[in-house]
Amino acid sequence: MSLFTIEALELLLWTSKPKPPCLLRLSLDEREETQMSIPHLFRCPISLDLFTDPVTLSTGLTYDRPCIERWLADGNLTCPVTMQRLSDASLVPNHTLRHLIDQWLIAGAADFHCRTKPTRSVNDNELSLAAVKQKLQSPDIASAAKLQALDKVRAVAVESDIGQACLIQLGFFPLLLQLLLRAPWPADSELIEVALDCVLSFSPASPLDSLNMLTDSSNLDSLMLLLDQGSARIKISLCHLLEVIGTSGATQELSLIVGQSPRVLQALVFLAQNKPDGAASEAAVRAIAGLCSSEATRRNAIREGAVDGIVSYLSSSAGKTDARALAALELLLGHEEGKRAAVRNPNAIPVLVKMVFKVPSDHKGGEHAVGSLLTVCCDSTPATTQAVDAGVVMQLLLLLQSQCSSKAKAKARALLKLVKSMWAAHAGGGQCNNDK
């Protein structure tokens, strides 16, 4: 912890902007009582003190002007942090950082004034992010005012990492989650959409353990309601959030809880099969893939139709998420229920054959497609016959001639060997495997 002392407040006097008179009237006792934790991004890498005049070098690193000027005056021609030689020793003022530090200082001082009964009201500009947080927390503020506050949060979050650090320091991430989960639906649909945008703009810098509030049944019910009935924009955003939950180490328990919900999985499968809305189907497939990183979720996903959902997506996808989708499908086909689902789906084998080799080639996706075919065909002569009829031999030969990984080539050779053995069995009047 660092005291919000006279020196910190005097920074406001040293800056070029005129400062609110209320800050300058703080008494010595008041200043010594006020304590704040300085975000590390507000500290100069040289002095480790709060920036007074942040400037940026050609290397992209920011330093306090007095410190870097002393460094350069001593004859150093390198960046102090990276030790990269400077081709240009000019110093560019970092106005964004300066503004955020000013706002941070103002917010802290204004908050102190509110607690100590100020002699005059403090306006919204002086309260800055503290006022925004208060608006979002208050049950008496109208939705329109909260929307304006959320627009400011979103602007600060996307502007820079420093802005995100400020918001995280002030506890905005859990506040935004609470807001979107407790806002009345559908009356506040726009508020929920913007709150979700704000939550997603934090990733990956956000404290993801806050997402564990969704383990509460009422919060999870709210999420499922929005996933079922929300607008297209809300559904896409929630899919992105579920992908984060499925892939983050901080939310493993939550991922298991979500993965046990038939309602969530059914909604994702339905979206994955929604061909007219490519963005929604892609987001849903990414969410399914994220949640299926857990072994415990895969059987539930298969029961709720995940295999058919992914096959449907791949049959008409634009290619951006093919590798993720194929990787998830290969995991699902590792289960007997998954293999049976693929054999029952008349499009599964032709779609996988098409994905073995594509132009432009996606070697990672091709590897997963071959792995999936190998898993299914190994136990099913009809599936192997269907793959041959769909042109798998030519696809495998093209893949082997490409720059794919050694793992992909090993799988391709194994599948070719399986196809050859089936032909030999048929020529001898037998079968290589039991039909399934």
Side-chain angles (χ1 to χ4, degrees), residues 172-178 180-181 195-196 198-220 223 237-258 291:
F172 270 85
F173 190 73
L175 173 60
L176 292 168
L177 287 171
Q178 291 171 358
L180 72 91
L181 292 171
L196 268 169
C198 291
V199 166
L200 293 172
S201 69
F202 276 83
S203 187
S206 48
L208 295 178
D209 55 338
S210 297
L211 289 168
N212 288 317
M213 69 172 64
L214 289 168
T215 56
D216 179 85
S217 59
S218 62
N219 288 335
L220 188 57
L223 182 143
S237 295
L238 286 175
C239 286
H240 292 316
L241 191 61
L242 288 170
E243 180 189 1
V244 171
I245 290 170
T247 54
S248 169
T251 53
Q252 288 182 347
E253 180 186 355
L254 174 59
S255 178
L256 291 174
I257 292 173
V258 172
L291 292 172

